[in-house]
Amino acid sequence: MSDLGLVPPISIDDLEQASQVCDAAARGAGVSVRSLTDLADLARVVELFADVWGRSANPPVSLEMLRALTKAGNYVGGAVEHGRLVGACVGFFHAPSEDALHSHIAGVVPEATGRSIGFALKLHQRAWALGRGVEEIAWTFDPLVARNAWFNLVKLGAQPSEYLANFYGPMQDDLNGTDDTDRLLVRWRLRDPEVAAACAGRLRGADVPWSSAAGAVEVLRPDRSGRPERIDAEGPLALVRVPTDVERLRVTDPATARSWRESVREVLGEMLQAGGRVEGFDRTGCYVVRRTS
């Protein structure tokens, strides 16, 4: 929540900068990104999410819900390539006093991943929100999925604020399987200088060698068999590793995947609950956490 007496109002410069980086990201990804309100477009969003999550019988969102959200002034954005919808993102507003948008779901068709289409969608959402006077966007992601942690914390510059154990309950889809749905809640402060720098492509990822030189200690890592190994080590900076590809691990070794879920919940979840702060995520799959004690 922002204090309008202390935070300067969103300026024309803020909006122009957000629009410019949004347009550049879309060009780089080879797509056009726009808000979607037409019923046919919304139906394509429903189909896209159903395909991505493998839930054709029970899509993650319904057409009726999207129609109601857009009518009420909420966000539905889509990335289009040669007339085909290849990515989409949906968000709705928090309580009025919180001055924030909750980004509920975003996805890109599998054959279009790796092209930064998700990045273009998030920058469009940021520009859309700033244009409506919104200072912050919040969303959740699975802390075990290393590529999503890198994307959210480094490429976008969002900041984790809370660990949510089994937040959605059982989902039984192609992405989550039978795993508990633990999530990290992140907050994306849209005018923060580090966020603006990340959106412009100037990344500040964590660096484990540097962190170790600064006194960071490993508290969770894989053992020789790939299972999680917890280490009791003191120090202000803690390194919490996650599997390289937990989605594949859920298929090839579900027991080890469940063990990682439990260990990350115990280690990362407990540190955040105690007031710890995630200071970054290393490309090798490691959270850097500043502990309170």
Side-chain angles (χ1 to χ4, degrees):
M1 176 179 174
S2 65
D3 185 334
L4 296 181
L6 297 176
V7 178
I10 297 170
S11 67
I12 296 297
D13 287 343
D14 291 327
L15 297 178
E16 288 182 351
Q17 186 272 345
S19 178
Q20 288 169 3
V21 296
C22 168
D23 291 344
R27 288 193 301 271
V31 296
S32 62
V33 185
R34 58 182 174 87
S35 297
L36 304 177
T37 58
D38 182 79
L39 198 60
D41 285 337
L42 298 179
R44 285 189 276 271
V45 173
V46 174
E47 293 172 2
L48 184 147
F49 288 149
D51 290 343
V52 170
W53 270 264
R55 289 173 53 179
S56 58
N58 178 29
V61 295
S62 69
L63 178 59
E64 296 84 356
M65 179 60 69
L66 292 184
R67 186 66 155 173
L69 288 175
T70 57
K71 178 61 177 174
N74 293 287
Y75 178 82
V76 179
V80 178
E81 180 182 36
H82 305 308
R84 179 194 176 204
L85 187 70
V86 293
C89 184
V90 176
F92 49 81
F93 287 105
H94 282 202
S97 62
E98 295 185 26
D99 181 29
L101 186 77
H102 184 82
S103 188
H104 173 58
I105 186 170
V108 174
V109 296
E111 59 269 29
T113 58
R115 290 172 39 195
S116 294
I117 292 174
F119 184 61
L121 278 166
K122 293 303 291 185
L123 266 56
H124 180 270
Q125 187 182 54
R126 175 176 178 256
W128 183 94
L130 285 170
R132 286 153 181 78
V134 176
E135 299 276 349
E136 180 180 287
I137 300 176
W139 66 89
T140 65
F141 76 94
D142 187 342
L144 285 185
V145 182
R147 59 183 174 82
N148 285 350
W150 173 265
F151 176 74
N152 291 315
L153 306 188
V154 179
K155 195 162 184 179
L156 294 177
Q159 177 61 49
S161 64
E162 188 177 358
Y163 191 100
L164 305 168
N166 202 23
F167 182 59
Y168 292 109
M171 295 185 75
Q172 301 286 322
D173 57 37
D174 288 355
L175 298 185
N176 294 283
T178 60
D179 196 7
D180 284 354
T181 53
D182 288 24
R183 296 292 184 265
L184 272 184
L185 176 67
V186 298
R187 299 190 179 277
W188 200 27
R189 295 175 177 87
L190 304 183
R191 290 200 291 158
D192 185 291
E194 291 191 6
V195 169
C199 292
R202 300 188 297 274
L203 307 185
R204 292 184 60 186
D207 182 83
V208 165
W210 179 91
S211 299
S212 298
V217 293
E218 282 192 309
V219 295
L220 186 66
R221 66 186 180 192
D223 63 15
R224 291 183 178 179
S225 67
R227 295 182 63 83
E229 177 185 24
R230 186 168 180 174
I231 303 153
D232 291 325
E234 301 295 329
L237 283 177
L239 304 178
V240 181
R241 292 194 178 275
V242 295
T244 302
D245 187 352
V246 73
E247 291 165 310
R248 183 172 181 272
L249 194 61
R250 287 174 183 145
V251 176
T252 61
D253 191 348
T256 295
R258 283 193 296 271
S259 183
W260 273 105
R261 171 68 77 207
E262 294 164 1
S263 296
V264 171
R265 179 188 297 169
E266 291 171 1
V267 176
L268 183 61
E270 288 177 5
M271 283 193 290
L272 291 183
Q273 187 175 16
R277 173 184 169 85
V278 175
E279 295 200 340
F281 188 82
D282 182 81
R283 194 58 162 160
T284 62
C286 186
Y287 292 93
V288 178
V289 186
R290 185 167 295 279
R291 296 193 277 201
T292 54
S293 60

